Amino acid sequence: AKADKNLAAILLSAGASWVCAKSWSSDASHESTSDSPSPSSSNSTWEAALFGWIVGTGRADSNAGSVNFRGEFSRAARRAELALAGKICNNNNTDDLRRILGRLPLWVTFPDFETCRWLNRAFAKVWPRYKRLLAAEIKHHAELHVNRKLPEGIAEFRFDALDLGATPPEVSGIKSYEGGGASEIIIDLEVRWISNAASVLAVRLAGGAVTLPVECTEVSFLGLVRVALRPLRDHWCFFETVSVSLLPSPELDFALRLLGGGDVRTIPGLHEALEEMLRRRALSA
């Protein structure tokens, strides 16, 4: 894989050289009135080639750059990919959907999953009101459960601010099970959330009185949520309990930065401890 990346970087740099040289030499030939290339045109061609090589090499260096750059780039690519698939999840033109390389909604490839545009439209209307209540619940329960078992090196964790953003989660596929038994209803929901949520975490390190403000942004989620209504009853509201759970292998991603633009990775062990703690608690809630 590393060799493939290096080869791609070399080809990219050579391609950039050729494109720049071709374009600039074409411009120079149009400006020249003589049949043979002028010395200035020739120089422009070689300068263009040199410029293209520098651009390509710079791209190659970026691909071989820091873990932070690669992480930010891949996160942005995943968010864009999920957002694109989410936008077309209600589109019935499967030919357009097949042009997307991945992240297709489940109803595209699994006929037992269905679209639910009506549910997304309804949820979008209630989201501005519901998100405030949900944020308060998340803040209360997250602080309670996280502080019970903090990772080594962290003495206290709390939310200073939590905003779930204007973009609600979307249900991109729904499936109901007919063979679940006469006393229960089981529904699986494929949930996507490419959010503009933002939160500020106050993290106090062990052995110190300083509390660090850490910003959590670029949250994205993709996973299957199972809703079970059981047991069914003969009177309102026709079922006794609602059970909500995450099925295995959900995808959760987010970015952590020190408030003000600093890199949280400059503090040894903090980024890894926070990321593992938040991911574990969020997916086990």
Side-chain angles (χ1 to χ4, degrees), residues 177-181 184:
Y177 291 87
E178 297 180 356
E184 65 179 4

Side-chain angles (χ1 to χ4, degrees), residues 150-209:
L150 290 168
E152 184 178 356
I154 298 179
E156 182 184 5
F157 167 88
R158 71 174 187 273
F159 282 97
D160 274 354
L162 176 59
D163 182 5
L164 296 181
T167 305
E170 289 187 349
V171 177
S172 51
I174 185 170
K175 172 184 177 180
S176 61
Y177 291 87
E178 297 180 356
S183 62
E184 65 179 4
I185 298 174
I186 298 178
I187 300 173
D188 285 349
L189 306 171
E190 184 190 36
V191 178
R192 297 169 180 263
W193 192 27
I194 313 302
S195 77
N196 54 355
S199 60
V200 178
L201 316 175
V203 181
R204 183 166 63 85
L205 302 181

Side-chain angles (χ1 to χ4, degrees), residues 110-184:
F110 295 96
D112 52 349
F113 273 85
E114 302 176 9
T115 61
C116 45
R117 289 173 289 180
W118 62 271
L119 181 59
N120 290 327
R121 287 195 296 266
F123 194 54
K125 287 184 176 294
V126 302
W127 178 250
R129 298 171 177 81
Y130 178 67
K131 69 175 184 178
R132 292 192 291 269
L133 301 176
L134 182 60
E137 288 293 317
I138 292 176
K139 183 177 184 297
H140 171 73
H141 290 288
E143 290 179 353
L144 182 64
H145 291 291
V146 168
N147 282 294
R148 285 178 179 173
K149 190 177 180 180
L150 290 168
E152 184 178 356
I154 298 179
E156 182 184 5
F157 167 88
R158 71 174 187 273
F159 282 97
D160 274 354
L162 176 59
D163 182 5
L164 296 181
T167 305
E170 289 187 349
V171 177
S172 51
I174 185 170
K175 172 184 177 180
S176 61
Y177 291 87
E178 297 180 356
S183 62
E184 65 179 4

Side-chain angles (χ1 to χ4, degrees), residues 84 93-102 104:
L84 177 60
N93 189 345
T94 55
D95 291 334
D96 290 339
L97 298 180
R98 290 191 181 98
R99 294 192 183 101
I100 301 175
L101 297 179
L104 292 174

Side-chain angles (χ1 to χ4, degrees), residues 27 52 70 83 92 94 132 138 158 179 200 220 225 265:
D27 293 341
R70 291 200 300 270
N92 291 324
T94 55
R132 292 192 291 269
I138 292 176
R158 71 174 187 273
V200 178
S220 62
V225 178
R265 292 180 176 86

